Amino acid sequence: MNIEIVERPELKAAVLQIPRDGRLVRDAWAQVSARLKHHPGVADREHGYVFIPEWQWSTEVTTLWVGMVVDHFEGLPAELQQITIPAKRYAKLTVRGNRTHMEEAYGALFGWFEQGPYERDVRDGSFGYEMNRLQPVNPFEIPADDIDYFDYDIYAPIKDETKLQIY
């Protein structure tokens, strides 16, 4: 699996915070996309985002934020929360395949961080995200128990310092 190191600019997103549950992810996506269908501030209509609170990896990820990237927060529906993800370096991994492939991709990413020299940024307030392609098939329209093909990019934040040792 090919893991790249990429720099990503600051992201602003209009989101709904939900418990980690595939069915709730789809419900939240339906609500966000309906509320932002004609909103001029939407910056990316080609992808649906699932933001992951990295600090929860130490125990278990129990909360997700589902939404769309926006240019600005003005005029957003009051029901949607606003989050800003600062510009940062990420480990990027593309997932394209069935559920087994997806699980292997996450395993490869965790292993990559364990081997170093980069450290995953799991500090409070740090977010990773999944950027789901909505075409040719919108994965949020397929029930969580039925979906068996995935097409998205994982962005796992890298801590500013590396684990390199200098002798």
Side-chain angles (χ1 to χ4, degrees):
M1 305 225 169
N2 183 33
I3 298 172
E4 308 174 61
I5 297 171
V6 298
E7 299 281 338
R8 295 287 294 174
E10 177 184 88
L11 282 178
K12 290 179 172 35
V15 298
L16 287 175
Q17 181 180 348
I18 57 163
R20 180 179 164 206
D21 175 289
R23 284 179 275 271
L24 295 176
V25 166
R26 280 140 182 84
D27 292 345
W29 172 255
Q31 292 177 50
V32 170
S33 61
R35 287 183 170 93
L36 296 178
K37 187 172 185 171
H38 300 293
H39 196 282
V42 174
D44 180 1
R45 294 190 183 275
E46 302 298 315
H47 299 94
Y49 291 76
V50 178
F51 296 94
I52 300 124
E54 294 289 319
W55 63 94
Q56 290 185 5
W57 283 118
S58 63
T59 53
E60 177 187 3
V61 175
T62 59
T63 308
L64 299 171
W65 283 258
V66 178
M68 298 176 88
V69 171
V70 295
D71 290 323
H72 54 79
F73 294 134
E74 295 83 34
L76 290 176
E79 304 85 11
L80 300 180
Q81 296 175 327
Q82 304 165 6
I83 60 173
T84 301
I85 310 294
K88 193 161 191 56
R89 261 188 326 166
Y90 291 87
K92 176 189 173 196
L93 177 59
T94 297
V95 175
R96 247 187 219 113
N98 63 20
R99 191 171 299 276
T100 300
H101 179 76
M102 176 186 65
E103 291 165 359
E104 289 169 352
Y106 277 101
L109 184 61
F110 280 102
W112 184 84
F113 275 113
E114 286 174 9
Q115 293 171 9
Y118 298 99
E119 188 175 343
R120 193 171 192 150
D121 187 353
V122 294
R123 294 176 287 191
D124 280 351
S126 178
F127 283 92
Y129 56 94
E130 297 171 349
M131 190 171 83
N132 294 269
R133 281 171 269 290
L134 301 177
Q135 296 295 328
V137 176
N138 184 334
F140 299 115
E141 294 175 351
I142 301 170
D145 294 337
D146 295 344
I147 191 167
D148 198 37
Y149 183 80
F150 302 89
D151 186 10
Y152 64 93
D153 297 320
I154 302 168
Y155 290 90
I158 295 173
K159 207 170 190 182
D160 294 335
E161 312 84 33
T162 66
K163 295 188 283 188
L164 290 174
Q165 294 181 351
I166 300 174
Y167 296 94

